[in-house]
Amino acid sequence: MIIRALRRASPEGIAGTDLARELGLTRGAIWARMDVLRSAGFEIEASPHYGYRLVSGPANLVGDDIAAQLESSRIIGHNVQVYRETSSTNELADRLARGGAAEGTVIMAERQTAGKGRMGRQWICPGNRSLLFSLILRPVMRPTEVARLTLLAACSVSKALRNLTNARLQIKWPNDVHFEDRKLAGILTEMRADMDQVEYVIVGIGVNILHQPEDFPPEIRDTATSLIQIAGTLPPRSTIAARILDQIDRDLTFTRTHGFEQCLDEWKSMSCTLGRWIDLRVGSNVYSGQAERIDESGALWIRGESGKLMQFNGGEVTTQKDMTP
Ligand code: BTN
């Protein structure tokens, strides 16, 4: 792949003859492909002395460019598809998975017209500012174990973004990535399964990258944040996407060999929910108490004021700030 060769070349660039040999193309064909890349927004210098040098990628996301930047793609990233607009990447991924799309396929969009959030909510964001993507996974697990994949994704996203920015990111149960109590990323996991066996899982991830406060709808302006607000300067979105996909790939590969325990420990160490006094809304009911532990299935255990211990598989946490120990 020509983008990969350019991305992996030395800072001086790569000679046209080397590129032609590596890709099995004529120098004329290489020249023509460079023109195609330039018209897609890649800035490529060509000098008779050094050959070709990639100066910068396009501002919009390009699937092959993200794939070219992956360092770890054992499970994820052999096929990265980017759409300018779709209803919801989860919906599109679901359709493709139903049609047999391979595990590890990544469906990304610059804009969603009907982005889905947890608990039937909408995920609204302006185009070209976020990373909005869904992964198709085909794990061998029971439906009751699928919540683990959501916790894993929350850990992987947090670690990847922390490595890029040094920011102290935390996870609000079950899977919101937060910075200083503001939401930076959300995850929506959906699946198709029968009683005993999962057919496929769609892990949908939305990360706020370039948003300024006014880009958020007024109702979430005080509770949402973006990576640019946290870090000031950032690598291109395609590089951020690649680092997130790499981290998910590494963590997924690790858990498939060694089990889920380490992932759960990481989740606990990044949790901003455990130990706090919280309200948990489940449907129209609200349960209050101290978040005591999370178990191996991803369920949250809360101890109410009466001392009663309650287990929850889902819901919306709000923290009672004044009672936090
Ligand atoms: C949440 O409510 O916190 C979960 C939000 C998940 C949003 C992402 S954006 C990409 C993917 N496609 C969707 O329609 N939703 C998820």
Side-chain angles (χ1 to χ4, degrees), residues 10 18 38 74 78 107 109 115 155 161 182 195 199 217 236 257 264 278 285:
S10 72
D18 291 344
R38 285 192 189 100
R74 275 160 289 199
H78 298 286
I107 305 300
C155 278
L161 299 181
R182 284 171 178 257
M195 291 293 282
E199 189 187 328
T257 315
L264 198 58
I278 61 166
N285 296 319

Side-chain angles (χ1 to χ4, degrees), residues 131-142:
L131 287 175
L132 308 167
F133 60 98
S134 302
L135 313 172
I136 298 175
L137 299 177
R138 296 186 181 276
V140 181
M141 55 169 53
R142 286 187 293 277

Side-chain angles (χ1 to χ4, degrees), residues 54-310:
L54 179 64
V55 179
S56 62
N60 57 311
L61 299 167
V62 174
D64 283 350
D65 189 34
I66 295 168
Q69 295 179 68
L70 293 176
E71 286 161 8
S72 166
S73 48
R74 275 160 289 199
I75 300 169
I76 288 168
H78 298 286
N79 179 1
V80 181
Q81 303 178 20
V82 177
Y83 296 81
R84 204 166 53 80
E85 182 176 292
T86 185
S87 54
S88 146
T89 56
N90 267 34
E91 251 175 48
L92 181 52
D94 183 71
R95 253 196 331 270
L96 295 171
R98 237 171 245 239
E103 171 163 81
T105 302
V106 180
I107 305 300
M108 215 172 258
E110 288 284 20
R111 184 187 299 271
Q112 296 183 127
T113 53
K116 298 195 287 184
R118 286 179 60 235
M119 307 177 69
R121 286 183 300 228
Q122 285 181 296
W123 182 262
I124 302 172
C125 54
N128 302 70
R129 301 239 204 327
S130 310
L131 287 175
L132 308 167
F133 60 98
S134 302
L135 313 172
I136 298 175
L137 299 177
R138 296 186 181 276
V140 181
M141 55 169 53
R142 286 187 293 277
T144 48
E145 295 170 324
V146 166
R148 294 174 173 191
L149 293 176
T150 317
L151 300 186
L152 180 144
C155 278
S156 307
V157 170
S158 305
K159 285 192 282 179
L161 299 181
R162 191 185 59 196
N163 290 342
L164 282 168
T165 60
N166 271 330
R168 185 166 178 269
L169 302 180
Q170 292 191 296
I171 305 173
K172 187 178 100 165
W173 185 83
N175 49 30
D176 288 353
V177 179
H178 273 224
F179 177 71
E180 294 180 347
D181 277 337
R182 284 171 178 257
K183 183 158 166 172
L184 174 66
I187 299 168
L188 174 67
T189 302
E190 299 179 291
M191 68 172 144
R192 187 175 158 98
D194 61 27
M195 291 293 282
D196 310 311
Q197 184 63 45
V198 168
E199 189 187 328
Y200 60 81
V201 176
I202 307 295
V203 181
I205 301 176
V207 188
N208 303 327
I209 307 284
L210 299 174
H211 303 58
Q212 294 305 325
E214 60 275 14
D215 293 326
F216 292 111
E219 59 277 17
I220 59 167
R221 208 163 281 164
D222 293 336
T223 54
T225 190
S226 69
L227 212 56
I228 193 86
Q229 291 181 60
I230 296 170
T233 54
L234 292 176
R237 280 184 307 146
S238 64
T239 307
I240 301 172
R243 294 294 78 83
I244 294 174
L245 294 174
D246 275 339
Q247 192 63 54
I248 297 174
D249 190 69
R250 284 193 202 101
D251 292 340
L252 207 53
T253 307
F254 183 89
T255 53
R256 285 191 182 175
T257 315
H258 302 283
F260 186 63
E261 207 169 305
Q262 179 171 318
C263 172
L264 198 58
D265 286 344
E266 283 179 349
W267 189 96
K268 288 176 188 165
S269 72
M270 287 188 273
S271 166
C272 61
T273 304
L274 290 181
R276 288 174 105 173
W277 287 86
I278 61 166
D279 290 329
L280 183 74
R281 177 176 290 280
V282 185
S284 56
N285 296 319
V286 178
Y287 303 87
S288 301
Q290 192 171 26
E292 200 165 280
R293 75 181 186 96
I294 174 153
D295 66 25
E296 52 296 328
S297 71
L300 181 67
W301 292 73
I302 299 176
R303 192 173 293 278
E305 274 185 71
S306 65
K308 185 176 160 207
L309 203 52
M310 301 168 278

